[in-house]
Amino acid sequence: MAVLVSGTLSYEGSSAVVNGRQNARPTLEQVAARAGVGRGTVSRVINGSPRVSEQTRTAVARAVAELGYVPNQAARALAGSRTDAIALVIPEAEARLFAEPYFLDLIRGVSAELADADKQLLLTLVRSEQERQRFEQYLAAQRVDGVLLASVHGDDPLPDRIRELGLPVVMNGRRSEAEPVAYVDSDNIGAGRAAVAHLVARGRSRIATVTGPPDMYVARARLGGYRAGLAEAGLAPDEALVSVGDFTEEGGRRAMRLLLDRSPDLDAVFAASDVMAAGARGVLREAGRRVPEDVALVGVDDSAVARLMDPPLTSVRQPIEEMGRTMARMLIQEIHASTEAPEEPRRRVLPTELIVRESC
């Protein structure tokens, strides 16, 4: 069963305490009314049924998150000594969670693997220092078996704090090359290298990049791959061709405007995510630049955004659902191993693949 919980949530008796306010626990019927679907549809979504459209699944997930709904079975388990719950923590606002295909694909993979293992999933959004502290208190009450973390920034202390509490933890990605916590990542350096190699093969020589936030390892790794690709092609690096984004569409727009101001002769752009590539595409169109005739464009993720862009976006595919499954599988293994001799944190890096479409 997949249980989606928003914010920092704990239980006292039959009431939910959400962000410091105690309320009667919301019902399945209230979730259905909020999502505009039937009670049975909500039940199918919560239980991970594949017989639900993605649009409906997203509407129900949003209603569950907004109401802080948890099925009675999960509440009983959390209030007692059972250990059948896994927390998936995403330190992002709801708007980004539901707007970016990456997170939905990751949740789908995690949920599927945990359902196979008869574990419950608690989706937790930690958006502030206060919420982080409350979540740590929730964990200290030993109400989950372990924690999965996604979208972690370099200075985030939560992974280390979770380990100090004695809970197994697995991250999606890593904070640095020397990450001490178990993680599942994709070959982000290889993604940047493959994108640049493809652009060079298409005859492009003024290749710019829109990066992610520099405090995230994934952004630094893709930038490193971009630079390695330039070196392998014999192209001199030019910092005027590097612009920082934040993995959002608006961040991609801002970064692309800066690139055009600084380097109007650019003929290609490697964006570190499909969502930022979509923002860059909008700015190029506003500037009268044709894709791919004037500026070739490559993204990362191979999400639905890439397939629906005009023209469809060449993108480096990372196996997002498989990363989610692998994270959950690794965490379950760590939970079982936690009663035995401690092991070194495990690490997995999954391969990426360039998917060529009309944008380059």
Side-chain angles (χ1 to χ4, degrees):
M1 179 186 296
V3 183
L4 297 145
V5 182
S6 176
T8 51
L9 179 146
S10 60
Y11 286 89
E12 296 183 4
S14 61
S15 298
V17 180
V18 182
N19 294 334
R21 298 189 306 274
Q22 184 167 337
N23 304 293
R25 196 168 57 239
T27 66
L28 197 70
E29 288 76 11
Q30 289 173 321
V31 174
R34 175 70 65 93
V37 299
R39 186 179 187 278
T41 300
V42 174
S43 180
R44 285 193 293 275
V45 171
I46 290 175
N47 285 282
S49 171
R51 298 185 297 108
V52 182
S53 71
E54 193 59 41
Q55 182 179 1
T56 298
R57 191 182 308 279
T58 299
V60 171
R62 188 187 300 275
V64 167
E66 291 172 351
L67 293 174
Y69 171 76
V70 176
N72 289 338
Q73 179 183 2
R76 289 195 300 270
L78 291 170
S81 60
R82 290 168 54 187
T83 56
D84 61 352
I86 300 295
L88 170 59
V89 182
I90 301 178
E92 301 288 353
E94 294 97 327
R96 187 177 176 200
L97 173 68
F98 293 110
E100 294 196 21
Y102 180 92
F103 293 121
L104 299 180
D105 288 345
L106 186 73
I107 293 168
R108 186 181 297 112
V110 168
S111 178
E113 191 67 28
L114 293 183
D116 290 345
D118 199 25
K119 295 284 187 180
Q120 296 169 350
L121 170 63
L122 285 79
L123 174 59
T124 305
L125 307 183
V126 177
R127 297 153 294 190
S128 67
E129 175 62 20
Q130 184 180 36
E131 287 190 347
R132 184 183 66 79
Q133 292 176 359
R134 288 177 179 171
F135 181 64
E136 288 180 10
Q137 294 171 2
Y138 181 75
L139 296 180
Q142 298 181 341
R143 291 175 173 176
V144 297
D145 290 337
V147 180
L148 299 168
L149 285 169
S151 193
V152 179
H153 293 252
D155 60 352
D156 194 331
L158 188 56
D160 302 313
R161 181 59 181 147
I162 294 169
R163 289 212 305 174
E164 291 170 4
L165 291 170
L167 282 170
V169 55
V170 176
M171 299 198 311
N172 172 227
R174 43 189 149 159
R175 292 170 294 177
S176 71
E177 186 66 41
E179 178 58 62
V181 176
Y183 64 80
V184 177
D185 206 352
S186 63
D187 182 7
N188 292 297
I189 293 176
R193 294 174 69 174
V196 172
H198 178 70
L199 290 165
V200 170
R202 290 294 191 269
R204 309 299 168 132
S205 59
R206 291 287 291 165
I207 303 171
T209 185
V210 175
T211 78
D215 68 336
M216 297 185 73
Y217 175 81
V218 59
R220 298 195 303 274
R222 291 175 187 174
L223 177 59
Y226 159 82
R227 287 173 170 154
L230 293 179
E232 290 164 2
L235 297 176
D238 183 350
E239 289 305 307
L241 291 171
V242 178
S243 188
V244 177
D246 59 4
F247 289 128
T248 68
E249 184 172 356
E250 181 55 34
R253 293 181 65 88
R254 290 194 300 267
M256 190 68 243
R257 290 192 191 100
L258 183 59
L259 285 172
L260 288 177
D261 287 343
R262 293 192 310 208
S263 305
D265 61 338
L266 63 85
D267 60 8
V269 177
F270 165 54
S273 76
D274 291 345
V275 173
M276 290 197 298
R281 174 68 185 91
V283 171
L284 289 169
R285 175 171 288 172
E286 292 166 3
R289 304 292 183 93
R290 299 169 300 167
V291 175
E293 294 86 352
D294 301 323
V295 179
L297 188 59
V298 177
V300 180
D301 287 338
D302 188 38
S303 63
V305 171
R307 297 187 291 276
L308 296 175
M309 276 180 60
D310 178 24
L313 179 68
T314 293
S315 182
V316 182
R317 175 184 295 165
Q318 52 176 345
I320 302 171
E321 281 195 45
E322 181 57 28
M323 281 198 290
R325 278 189 168 273
T326 304
M327 288 169 61
R329 195 179 309 126
M330 186 183 295
L331 182 65
I332 292 169
Q333 292 168 353
E334 295 221 352
I335 290 168
H336 292 162
S338 65
T339 58
E340 305 167 359
E343 298 180 356
E344 284 295 315
R346 283 172 284 186
R347 303 166 178 86
R348 287 286 307 276
V349 177
L350 303 183
T352 54
E353 177 188 5
L354 183 73
I355 305 300
V356 178
R357 298 191 178 91
E358 286 86 341
S359 71
C360 179

